[in-house]
Amino acid sequence: MPYTLPKLAYSYDALEPHIDAKTMEVHYSKHHQTYCDNTNKALAGTEWAEKPIEEVLMNLEKLPSEKRNAVRTMGGGYCNHNLFWTFMGGPTREPTAELKSALEKPFGGFDGFREKFEAAALGQFGSGWAWLVLDQGQLKITQTSNQDSPVSMGQIPLLAVDVWEHAYYLKYQNRRAEYVKAWWNVVNWDEVARRFTEAK
Ligand code: MN
């Protein structure tokens, strides 16, 4: 079965005014669809086509070398966006008490976490992502370039912000900092907590 786009749990305009409907529509129906289609093309006819995308990304070095780069970029983009949609659109404004207390030691609490996560998002030069991951049981803030995925590094993604210009340019143009500040308003903390509990 070829990969397909996961259904969005909310409408394109649900994240307004922070993330505008047009950006959501283009991001999901054009950008994400292209990553999905190109992943299917790259994996067609290989034994990997039937496997979950996470398993493929964890085994990039086992792929035929002529496929590897396409899968790394397109498969990474497919997987990263599958996650990204679930990280937004939540009803809660803050992490659960359990997650908040887990943020104390590594980041100095929720405020410290936000500060460091924003710094990662703004400090990512060019296209990429900022992440909160669980790495060998430790919470870490990381960055990836282009569509590289933490999954390929054996990490478990808990939260991410897309800082490719396509994620914010229509509304924010070059103002990435404004986009990231606004993005906090739409974070789905229930999903972050769910993934954290599952990963532990
Ligand atoms: Mn994107």
Side-chain angles (χ1 to χ4, degrees):
M1 276 283 285
Y3 299 120
T4 55
L5 290 198
K7 230 178 121 39
L8 279 183
Y10 42 84
S11 60
Y12 290 145
D13 64 359
L15 310 179
E16 293 265 12
H18 309 293
I19 310 293
D20 62 291
K22 190 72 190 167
T23 294
M24 279 301 300
E25 182 186 346
V26 175
H27 201 173
Y28 175 81
S29 73
K30 305 289 186 210
H31 291 278
H32 196 188
Q33 188 67 56
T34 301
Y35 290 120
C36 181
D37 293 346
N38 286 336
T39 307
N40 287 332
K41 266 184 223 152
L43 291 177
T46 74
E47 57 176 316
W48 297 93
E50 299 300 315
K51 298 186 195 295
I53 190 64
E54 291 81 2
E55 189 182 335
V56 177
L57 292 174
M58 277 187 265
N59 291 284
L60 286 176
E61 75 289 349
K62 293 185 189 155
L63 291 168
S65 60
E66 74 278 11
K67 304 273 187 193
R68 199 172 297 140
N69 198 46
V71 176
R72 178 177 171 182
T73 53
M74 296 298 152
Y78 172 63
C79 184
N80 290 342
H81 288 87
N82 286 351
L83 291 167
F84 184 52
W85 311 130
T86 71
F87 293 146
M88 301 189 291
T92 44
R93 299 294 223 164
E94 295 203 344
T96 54
E98 189 200 6
L99 184 56
K100 261 192 181 166
S101 95
L103 296 173
E104 280 298 331
K105 202 166 143 212
F107 313 117
F110 183 42
D111 289 345
F113 163 71
R114 283 177 33 137
E115 212 172 282
K116 292 174 177 74
F117 188 89
E118 269 183 39
L122 301 185
Q124 169 58 35
F125 183 75
S127 297
W129 297 75
W131 302 85
L132 173 67
V133 299
L134 208 56
D135 184 14
Q136 315 283 337
Q138 305 292 314
L139 285 171
K140 288 184 185 163
I141 293 169
T142 65
Q143 299 163 310
T144 60
S145 289
N146 301 313
Q147 295 296 359
D148 283 352
S149 169
V151 171
S152 298
M153 301 157 213
Q155 301 166 339
I156 302 170
L158 302 181
L159 179 66
V161 64
D162 186 345
V163 294
W164 281 61
E165 283 186 345
H166 68 226
Y168 60 88
Y169 204 84
L170 288 181
K171 182 176 171 80
Y172 296 98
Q173 290 82 50
N174 62 325
R175 304 186 305 279
R176 187 191 286 187
E178 213 178 294
Y179 155 69
V180 174
K181 285 241 183 295
W183 175 81
W184 290 117
N185 292 297
V186 302
V187 171
N188 182 359
W189 289 108
D190 290 352
E191 176 62 12
V192 182
R194 193 193 65 74
R195 293 184 64 86
F196 181 54
T197 305
E198 191 183 88
K200 273 194 306 170

Short mmCIF file of all heavy atoms in Angstrom, two decimals, residues 27 31 35 81 84-85 129 147 162 164 166-167, ligand 1:
data_model
loop_
_atom_site.label_atom_id
_atom_site.label_comp_id
_atom_site.label_asym_id
_atom_site.label_seq_id
_atom_site.Cartn_x
_atom_site.Cartn_y
_atom_site.Cartn_z
N HIS A 27 0.31 24.03 2.57
CA HIS A 27 1.31 23.22 3.27
C HIS A 27 0.90 21.74 3.27
O HIS A 27 1.69 20.85 2.97
CB HIS A 27 1.43 23.75 4.71
CG HIS A 27 2.70 23.39 5.41
ND1 HIS A 27 3.02 23.90 6.65
CD2 HIS A 27 3.72 22.57 5.07
CE1 HIS A 27 4.20 23.40 7.02
NE2 HIS A 27 4.63 22.59 6.08
N HIS A 31 2.54 20.78 -0.33
CA HIS A 31 3.88 20.39 0.12
C HIS A 31 3.89 18.95 0.67
O HIS A 31 4.69 18.13 0.25
CB HIS A 31 4.39 21.36 1.19
CG HIS A 31 4.71 22.71 0.65
ND1 HIS A 31 5.90 23.00 0.01
CD2 HIS A 31 3.99 23.86 0.62
CE1 HIS A 31 5.89 24.27 -0.37
NE2 HIS A 31 4.75 24.82 -0.02
N TYR A 35 5.75 15.41 -0.81
CA TYR A 35 6.66 14.52 -0.07
C TYR A 35 6.13 13.09 -0.10
O TYR A 35 6.88 12.12 -0.29
CB TYR A 35 6.81 14.98 1.39
CG TYR A 35 7.58 16.26 1.56
CD1 TYR A 35 7.01 17.38 2.15
CD2 TYR A 35 8.91 16.36 1.14
CE1 TYR A 35 7.72 18.56 2.32
CE2 TYR A 35 9.63 17.54 1.30
CZ TYR A 35 9.02 18.63 1.90
OH TYR A 35 9.73 19.80 2.06
N HIS A 81 5.97 15.83 8.54
CA HIS A 81 4.68 16.52 8.47
C HIS A 81 3.55 15.69 9.08
O HIS A 81 2.63 16.25 9.67
CB HIS A 81 4.37 16.93 7.03
CG HIS A 81 5.24 18.07 6.55
ND1 HIS A 81 6.47 17.85 5.98
CD2 HIS A 81 5.08 19.41 6.60
CE1 HIS A 81 7.02 19.03 5.69
NE2 HIS A 81 6.19 19.99 6.05
N PHE A 84 3.89 16.75 12.49
CA PHE A 84 3.67 18.19 12.72
C PHE A 84 2.19 18.53 12.87
O PHE A 84 1.81 19.29 13.76
CB PHE A 84 4.29 18.98 11.57
CG PHE A 84 4.23 20.47 11.71
CD1 PHE A 84 4.70 21.10 12.87
CD2 PHE A 84 3.72 21.27 10.70
CE1 PHE A 84 4.66 22.48 13.00
CE2 PHE A 84 3.68 22.65 10.81
CZ PHE A 84 4.15 23.26 11.97
N TRP A 85 1.35 17.95 12.03
CA TRP A 85 -0.09 18.28 12.13
C TRP A 85 -0.65 17.88 13.50
O TRP A 85 -1.53 18.54 14.02
CB TRP A 85 -0.91 17.59 11.02
CG TRP A 85 -0.36 17.77 9.65
CD1 TRP A 85 -0.14 16.78 8.72
CD2 TRP A 85 0.04 18.99 9.00
NE1 TRP A 85 0.39 17.31 7.56
CE2 TRP A 85 0.51 18.66 7.71
CE3 TRP A 85 0.07 20.34 9.40
CZ2 TRP A 85 0.99 19.62 6.80
CZ3 TRP A 85 0.55 21.29 8.50
CH2 TRP A 85 0.99 20.93 7.23
N TRP A 129 13.91 22.17 11.04
CA TRP A 129 12.97 21.96 12.13
C TRP A 129 13.66 22.14 13.47
O TRP A 129 14.86 21.88 13.59
CB TRP A 129 12.44 20.51 12.09
CG TRP A 129 11.66 20.16 10.85
CD1 TRP A 129 12.17 19.92 9.60
CD2 TRP A 129 10.24 20.02 10.74
NE1 TRP A 129 11.15 19.63 8.73
CE2 TRP A 129 9.95 19.67 9.41
CE3 TRP A 129 9.18 20.13 11.65
CZ2 TRP A 129 8.65 19.45 8.94
CZ3 TRP A 129 7.89 19.90 11.19
CH2 TRP A 129 7.64 19.58 9.85
N GLN A 147 14.83 18.01 5.56
CA GLN A 147 13.81 17.10 6.10
C GLN A 147 14.44 15.94 6.85
O GLN A 147 13.83 14.86 6.97
CB GLN A 147 12.88 16.60 4.98
CG GLN A 147 12.04 17.70 4.34
CD GLN A 147 11.06 18.35 5.32
OE1 GLN A 147 10.96 17.99 6.49
NE2 GLN A 147 10.32 19.34 4.82
N ASP A 162 8.01 23.47 12.34
CA ASP A 162 8.53 23.53 10.98
C ASP A 162 8.99 24.95 10.73
O ASP A 162 8.19 25.89 10.82
CB ASP A 162 7.36 23.15 10.03
CG ASP A 162 7.79 23.02 8.57
OD1 ASP A 162 8.89 23.47 8.22
OD2 ASP A 162 6.97 22.46 7.80
N TRP A 164 10.70 25.80 7.82
CA TRP A 164 10.80 26.09 6.38
C TRP A 164 9.97 27.34 6.10
O TRP A 164 8.90 27.53 6.70
CB TRP A 164 10.23 24.93 5.57
CG TRP A 164 11.13 23.75 5.42
CD1 TRP A 164 11.63 22.97 6.43
CD2 TRP A 164 11.63 23.20 4.20
NE1 TRP A 164 12.40 21.97 5.91
CE2 TRP A 164 12.43 22.08 4.54
CE3 TRP A 164 11.47 23.53 2.86
CZ2 TRP A 164 13.07 21.30 3.58
CZ3 TRP A 164 12.10 22.74 1.89
CH2 TRP A 164 12.90 21.65 2.25
N HIS A 166 8.02 27.85 3.76
CA HIS A 166 6.66 27.52 3.30
C HIS A 166 5.68 27.40 4.47
O HIS A 166 4.48 27.47 4.28
CB HIS A 166 6.64 26.26 2.42
CG HIS A 166 6.97 24.96 3.11
ND1 HIS A 166 7.85 24.03 2.60
CD2 HIS A 166 6.52 24.42 4.28
CE1 HIS A 166 7.92 22.99 3.40
NE2 HIS A 166 7.12 23.20 4.43
N ALA A 167 6.21 27.23 5.69
CA ALA A 167 5.35 27.09 6.86
C ALA A 167 4.81 28.44 7.36
O ALA A 167 3.86 28.46 8.14
CB ALA A 167 6.11 26.39 7.99
MN MN B 1 6.66 21.99 5.94
#
